Amino acid sequence: MDRIDRARLDTYFQQIIQRFPMPREITSLVITHLLPERPAFLGALSGITRIAAVLPKPRSIDQATLEVVRALHPVHELSRKRFADPVTALHFLEDVAAGQQVVLLDIGGYFADSLHTLAEKFSGRILGVVEDTENGHQQYAALDRLPCPVVSVARSPLKEPEDHLVGRSIVFSTEALLRTRGDILTGRQATVIGFGKIGRSIAHTLRAQDLHVTVFDNSPLKQVQAHSQGFRTAESCREAIRDAGLVICATGNLALRKADFVALRNGAYLAAATSSDDELELSALNGLYRRRGTSNHLTRYERHGHSFHLLADGGAVNFVHRAVVGTFIHLVQGEILAAAASITKGGIEAGIHEVSTDDRQDIARIWLKHFLR
């Protein structure tokens, strides 16, 4: 990002934080994709909170951006294991933010398993959580009793442009990787597992590129939606993937388990729209399949009489090309800042919440005026 673009983005975020101010002496822990536009968002956040830890998602780290962020903020390694164990999570929080008022910014429900312990035993106070993804939203919603507010932006209308463009970027990156093997998408049988906002975008983009698309979703309602939009649907995951030359998983909730991989068509390409931890039970294939790298970001899994190609090592395939969605990402980042501000003001009961419609309208107005007019 050049100096002029960064200055323009900083101006946008200044307008957001002026509209949604926070009280002083708030500390934040930030799980984030570390892509080239992210330092501007972190810069805005550091202007209104003390960032105690930046925790980059492992498969979405741009190395040049990492060096920039390291020079400005404390960066720590992120893993599911660290925050799945409540004791380990509590020790980490005490190390970086003991005695402070903390807002947790999450992407994927990392803090969900340890949230009760953090809220009850932390020497400071957990004010609340801001969650960015549908997968994370579901993990917090599944907790028996939330000990603090969780403000989710996962289902916001401001996220719909991003989700639509993420679906298109997944198809772009998928074809780009196939082309490194002299292959293309056109004319293939394709299956999309998961018909949420991103899965729907993937399915429509594949069909626009002349693929024959089948959809499977565990939800009968989503199956009906897919059918009404002209897609072939299948009764089971295995039926859906059996004849597909390309399978893209977009559930955020373990689309393929150990027994499903053998049902893949021989030589099929397999890609994921979210983290491999969320979509694919790859660890179960150890000892069953041999792994062989065939080209950059392509891995061949093979056993006697069967093989398939895994793209991007099972991670979100669009991050191979930095998951670019243009300035629409800043709508969501603006709402994340607004969500954090709402938590710090207090008065929100424990439970799942969303940013108000009026606040979303204001974010949209600021974005439209700044980036389009």
Side-chain angles (χ1 to χ4, degrees):
M1 180 177 293
D2 64 30
R3 181 175 56 83
I4 294 175
D5 287 341
R6 175 58 191 267
R8 187 182 186 205
L9 192 49
D10 287 342
T11 302
Y12 165 76
F13 281 124
Q14 283 301 313
Q15 293 177 59
I16 294 292
I17 62 179
Q18 286 171 14
R19 171 60 184 82
F20 303 101
M22 290 191 197
R24 295 186 177 183
E25 300 180 354
I26 299 298
T27 295
S28 59
L29 271 67
V30 190
I31 292 176
T32 183
H33 303 295
L34 216 50
L35 301 174
E37 39 70 29
R38 208 55 51 114
F41 170 75
L42 293 173
L45 185 65
S46 67
I48 51 177
T49 73
R50 184 186 82 85
I51 298 180
V54 174
L55 296 146
K57 298 202 69 163
R59 295 179 184 270
S60 55
I61 299 175
D62 175 74
Q63 288 301 314
T65 303
L66 176 60
E67 295 308 313
V68 170
V69 172
R70 269 186 176 153
L72 299 170
H73 311 290
V75 176
H76 297 263
E77 183 179 353
L78 175 66
S79 69
R80 287 280 179 192
K81 185 177 180 180
R82 165 175 277 172
F83 293 107
D85 176 42
V87 174
T88 303
L90 180 60
H91 286 165
F92 177 78
L93 187 58
E94 294 288 1
D95 286 343
V96 300
Q100 298 173 40
Q101 297 189 82
V102 175
V103 175
L104 304 172
L105 273 58
D106 200 354
I107 298 180
Y110 279 82
F111 298 113
D113 288 339
S114 57
L115 188 59
H116 283 286
T117 297
L118 297 181
E120 293 169 7
K121 298 185 177 181
F122 175 49
S123 63
R125 182 185 173 201
I126 302 296
L127 299 178
V129 181
V130 180
E131 172 56 51
D132 183 42
T133 67
E134 178 62 27
N135 176 38
H137 180 114
Q138 292 179 24
Q139 291 189 48
Y140 286 110
L143 296 179
D144 289 338
R145 176 185 56 82
L146 282 168
C148 63
V150 175
V151 181
S152 172
V153 305
R155 299 175 180 179
S156 168
L158 293 181
K159 204 170 191 295
E160 290 178 7
E162 178 194 358
D163 290 337
H164 171 69
L165 292 169
V166 164
R168 295 180 66 175
S169 74
I170 287 163
V171 175
F172 169 87
S173 292
T174 297
E175 177 150 44
L177 294 183
L178 264 63
R179 285 177 179 271
T180 66
R181 300 191 71 244
D183 214 340
I184 60 173
L185 290 178
T186 301
R188 289 182 178 275
Q189 297 284 343
T191 288
V192 178
I193 304 176
F195 202 67
K197 290 178 288 186
I198 292 176
R200 185 163 57 248
S201 175
I202 292 169
H204 281 280
T205 304
L206 289 172
R207 185 165 62 184
Q209 294 188 207
D210 302 319
L211 281 81
H212 309 285
V213 182
T214 297
V215 169
F216 173 74
D217 195 294
N218 283 325
S219 166
L221 294 176
K222 297 287 180 62
Q223 290 277 90
V224 168
Q225 291 173 1
H227 186 74
S228 74
Q229 293 172 35
F231 295 104
R232 180 180 177 272
T233 57
E235 292 186 9
S236 69
C237 177
R238 292 191 194 179
E239 178 190 335
I241 66 178
R242 184 177 54 209
D243 298 321
L246 170 67
V247 176
I248 301 181
C249 302
T251 66
N253 193 23
L254 207 55
L256 296 186
R257 300 176 185 272
K258 178 180 178 179
D260 297 318
F261 290 96
V262 296
L264 288 167
R265 178 177 172 179
N266 203 30
Y269 292 100
L270 174 63
T274 61
S275 166
S276 59
D277 295 338
D278 298 329
E279 292 289 356
L280 307 170
E281 194 180 19
L282 293 175
S283 61
L285 301 185
N286 294 335
L288 296 177
Y289 282 82
R290 297 182 301 277
R291 288 167 44 98
R292 182 167 62 86
T294 57
S295 63
N296 195 24
H297 302 296
L298 274 167
T299 305
R300 181 182 175 92
Y301 279 70
E302 54 187 23
R303 60 186 291 187
H304 182 69
H306 186 242
S307 67
F308 62 90
H309 297 278
L310 181 66
L311 278 61
D313 206 26
V317 67
N318 55 326
F319 283 110
V320 171
H321 301 103
R322 297 181 173 180
V324 176
V325 296
T327 60
F328 293 97
I329 187 67
H330 306 313
L331 285 164
V332 182
Q333 292 171 344
E335 184 166 356
I336 289 170
L337 293 172
S342 71
I343 288 171
T344 63
K345 290 177 182 177
I348 304 179
E349 295 181 355
I352 298 278
H353 301 271
E354 294 190 356
V355 172
S356 73
T357 299
D358 287 345
D359 287 349
R360 288 170 172 166
Q361 295 276 20
D362 286 346
I363 294 165
R365 288 189 191 98
I366 292 170
W367 185 91
L368 285 167
K369 184 176 181 179
H370 191 78
F371 289 108
L372 297 188
R373 295 172 186 166

